[in-house]
Amino acid sequence: DSFQAITAAALDAAPLADSRRILVLHQTDVTNTMIRFSSEAMTAVENWGRAPLLLRRGKAEVSLKLHGNGPWRVVALELDGSEKGDIPATVRDGKLVFTADTAHAGGSMVYLITPR
């Protein structure tokens, strides 16, 4: 129901499938509060607005084929890197699977995957 981009990046020197620390970004439309555009096309900004950020609701099932058997921990992070809370995750058909939801814990778009 909305545009979404999901990126997974290894935080160590290993290939993604072998990594022991993976950062997942789940991004939808993000803007400042009270941002003002000059037209409906939103091609020019008249006023940049202010914090807090407005994050469009989006939900996606994320599936990663990782070589490690786990168990894995998936944690939603604040934008400063602090932990918001664990996200339920399972291993299905040899893949780590979890739901990324921008509405989790008041607005989440960053996740950290590590071994338990």
Side-chain angles (χ1 to χ4, degrees):
D1 61 353
S2 68
F3 173 82
Q4 300 178 58
I6 299 175
T7 304
L11 296 179
D12 51 24
L16 184 62
D18 296 321
S19 179
R20 306 295 283 166
R21 291 179 53 81
I22 299 169
L23 190 69
V24 175
L25 304 176
H26 174 222
Q27 296 172 293
T28 57
D29 184 24
V30 181
T31 59
N32 284 335
T33 298
M34 299 186 67
I35 191 170
R36 189 172 61 242
F37 297 94
S38 62
S39 70
E40 287 186 32
M42 297 193 290
T43 56
V45 176
E46 289 182 354
N47 183 318
W48 286 102
R50 58 178 169 74
L53 294 175
L54 301 174
L55 177 60
R56 184 179 301 272
R57 177 88 191 253
K59 195 180 212 182
E61 182 178 272
V62 176
S63 173
L64 295 168
K65 185 166 178 65
L66 304 175
H67 292 152
N69 293 330
W72 298 101
R73 181 179 185 222
V74 179
V75 180
L77 301 177
E78 294 281 1
L79 294 179
D80 67 3
S82 61
E83 294 186 6
K84 292 178 111 173
D86 286 15
I87 303 296
T90 60
V91 175
R92 190 168 60 220
D93 299 325
K95 298 174 186 168
L96 173 69
V97 179
F98 70 96
T99 300
D101 186 346
T102 58
H104 173 75
S108 295
M109 58 183 173
V110 182
Y111 300 89
L112 178 65
I113 300 170
T114 58
R116 278 211 181 268

